[in-house]
């Protein structure tokens, strides 16, 4: 999304202010009221600037709500991937346990170097699969957090729209 910028002139043309709307919003009602009071001092462009603020907040809130479905899909995909890796992890863990038990029982006096190498490879594979699962779960939590954050930010933007529409 490209950044929208509004330029405000106040104090009979003596003051000038530039607001980057993407950076300023969402904001709390107090800051918004201060901005609106400054906008009201720009007599020539007051209605136009107010309309730009309302339009920007409304469009950004809608974009956030629309983008939530993509975040939800990504979260589900990551969770599915992590869940699908679990049987492979269980299988490798059983193989490692069985091979360790075999080595412990039958390869006591320095024999079984091939088995020990095989055990090392199995442990490496198990470690890699667990790392993939951890990464997928981390992405899942990140998408989930962004999903919830998008809803909260959209609600704040909707409140900003209401304040901007009704403040005079």
């Amino acid at each position: 999304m490209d950044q929208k910028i509004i330029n405000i002139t106040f104090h009979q043309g003596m003051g000038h202010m530039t607001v980057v709307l993407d950076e300023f919003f969402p904001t709390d009602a107090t800051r918004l009221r201060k901005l609106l009071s400054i906008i009201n001092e720009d007599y020539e462009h007051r209605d136009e600037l107010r309309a730009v603020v309302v339009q920007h907040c409304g469009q950004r809130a809608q974009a956030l709500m629309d983008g939530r479905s993509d975040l939800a899909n990504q979260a589900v995909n990551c969770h599915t991937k992590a869940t699908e890796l679990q049987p492979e992890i269980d299988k490798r863990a059983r193989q490692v346990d069985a091979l360790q038990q075999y080595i412990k029982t039958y390869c006591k006096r320095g024999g079984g170097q091939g088995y020990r190498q095989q055990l090392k490879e199995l442990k490496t594979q198990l470690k890699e699969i667990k790392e993939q699962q951890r990464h997928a779960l981390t992405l899942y939590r990140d998408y989930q957090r962004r999903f919830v954050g998008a809803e909260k930010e959209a609600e704040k933007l909707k409140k900003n729209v209401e304040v901007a529409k009704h403040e005079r």
Side-chain angles (χ1 to χ4, degrees), residues 26-142:
T27 189
D28 57 58
T30 305
R31 283 184 66 203
L32 180 57
R33 285 188 183 103
K34 288 179 185 177
L35 176 64
L36 293 174
S37 69
I38 293 171
I39 286 175
N40 283 337
E41 291 185 30
D42 190 348
Y43 300 110
E44 296 175 11
H45 306 102
R46 148 183 21 203
D47 295 332
E48 177 184 321
L49 292 173
R50 184 181 295 274
V52 168
V53 167
V54 169
Q55 179 185 13
H56 173 76
C57 290
Q59 287 176 345
R60 191 156 158 214
Q62 188 61 43
L64 286 169
M65 294 304 282
D66 293 344
R68 289 180 68 226
S69 63
D70 293 337
L71 293 172
N73 289 336
Q74 291 291 343
V76 168
N77 291 343
C78 290
H79 192 269
T80 302
K81 182 179 178 183
T83 304
E84 290 172 350
L85 288 173
Q86 190 59 45
E88 185 68 24
I89 289 171
D90 294 341
K91 176 183 164 189
R92 298 278 188 219
R94 284 192 303 276
Q95 289 175 340
V96 167
D97 290 341
L99 194 54
Q100 283 177 333
Q101 191 65 30
Y102 181 82
I103 292 171
K104 186 177 180 183
T105 304
Y106 297 109
C107 302
K108 292 185 179 181
R109 296 193 177 107
Q113 289 300 329
Y115 292 122
R116 293 188 196 319
Q117 182 63 32
Q118 186 180 1
L119 177 64
K120 187 176 181 180
E121 290 171 6
L122 279 173
K123 285 184 174 181
T124 302
Q125 291 171 358
L126 179 62
K127 183 178 179 182
E128 289 172 0
I129 294 170
K130 283 185 174 181
E131 181 60 35
Q132 289 174 3
Q133 186 184 42
R134 273 193 299 276
H135 180 67
L137 288 172
T138 299
L139 288 175
Y140 165 72
R141 286 187 292 272
D142 182 53

